[in-house]
Amino acid sequence: MPRGLIIEDDTIISANIVEATTKIMTLEQAFDGEEGLFKASQNIYDIIILDLMLPKISGFDVLKKIREYKIDTAVLILSAKDSVHDKIDGFNLGADDYLAKPFNLNELQMRIKALLKRTMKFEMDSELKYKDMILSDNRTIISGDQSINLPGKEYEFLTYLLENKNTILTKEQIFDRVWGFTSDTSITVVEVYMSNIRKKLKTIGYEKMIRTIRNVGYLVEPDEK
């Protein structure tokens, strides 16, 4: 499931959006610009929902900074500032969409789905493929006539790797994406789960598709035959 970040200081609006999007994605919250920028800069999200009028750091400055960091995550601005000038400023800084407050939650859902599809991070009933191996959305690896179940975090872990083929993902990125900032688990859990995933992949001959980048993280090799 895609993972999003909402940076909104109004706790009621934030909670309503979280509730409205539970079937679309997992949405984490930040309540001021400073916290939002810190989380967004980890580059582990598929979409960022960003208010403009924030404490500590404005939404405009948050957007400017993450684009300076070369983070291309889709950004949907939510703001009571709905003048043409404000919208132009937002788009010039790198926003992907702009929705004025007050807004309809159904429209917000449609905007989010459209952005996630555009960035190739969201597909209903999707399957991820690597050569002749399929990672199905029912948490199963299928290769030929063999199938392997991947429970919970194993599925999320492998999904994240396959969504980012030929890209090095650090252990910190994986931990933050799969377990989250607030997890009490140690980052060493990443290595434990990688070992478990490799053992399962070995039964179908795919254990070498994931390369360990020493002291950094992991890379799924390109799947050209």
Side-chain angles (χ1 to χ4, degrees), residues 49-210:
I49 301 170
L50 176 65
D51 185 31
L52 292 181
M53 300 175 69
L54 294 167
K56 298 185 179 180
I57 302 175
S58 76
F60 281 126
D61 287 336
V62 170
L63 179 56
K64 182 179 179 180
K65 283 291 185 182
I66 64 175
R67 293 310 189 220
E68 287 176 355
Y69 297 158
K70 307 301 181 184
I71 295 171
D72 60 1
T73 304
V75 174
L76 168 60
I77 288 177
L78 298 178
S79 180
K81 295 166 69 69
D82 62 350
S83 71
V84 172
H85 178 74
D86 289 322
K87 292 180 180 179
I88 290 173
D89 285 346
F91 285 122
N92 283 340
L93 287 172
D96 297 272
D97 200 356
Y98 197 115
L99 187 58
K101 295 178 179 178
F103 52 86
N104 181 280
L105 286 172
N106 289 329
E107 181 181 1
L108 175 64
Q109 290 175 344
M110 294 302 103
R111 298 282 189 104
I112 290 170
K113 287 180 179 179
L115 283 177
L116 290 171
K117 285 179 180 177
R118 190 188 309 169
T119 57
M120 301 178 69
K121 294 292 187 181
F122 180 82
E123 295 180 14
M124 296 299 292
D125 303 320
S126 62
E127 293 179 340
L128 290 169
K129 296 182 179 180
Y130 186 90
K131 295 185 179 179
D132 67 352
M133 184 196 81
I134 297 172
L135 178 61
S136 173
D137 59 1
N138 66 358
R139 299 178 179 270
T140 302
I141 295 174
I142 302 170
S143 179
D145 59 356
Q146 295 178 284
S147 64
I148 304 168
N149 183 52
L150 282 182
K153 301 298 185 186
E154 289 182 11
Y155 172 79
E156 294 176 29
F157 194 148
L158 187 56
T159 295
Y160 188 38
L161 292 176
L162 289 176
E163 285 177 340
N164 294 276
K165 282 184 288 189
N166 206 26
T167 300
I168 297 172
L169 296 175
T170 67
K171 293 178 184 178
E172 289 79 11
Q173 283 178 303
I174 295 167
F175 180 81
D176 290 341
R177 172 65 183 251
V178 177
W179 283 270
F181 288 99
T182 60
S183 174
D184 294 328
T185 308
S186 166
I187 197 170
T188 56
V189 72
V190 173
E191 296 178 8
V192 174
Y193 270 73
M194 175 54 70
S195 176
N196 292 340
I197 291 170
R198 276 206 173 106
K199 288 176 183 176
K200 292 184 176 181
L201 291 174
K202 187 174 183 179
T203 64
I204 56 172
Y206 276 95
E207 73 278 9
K208 293 183 179 179
M209 68 179 253
I210 304 172

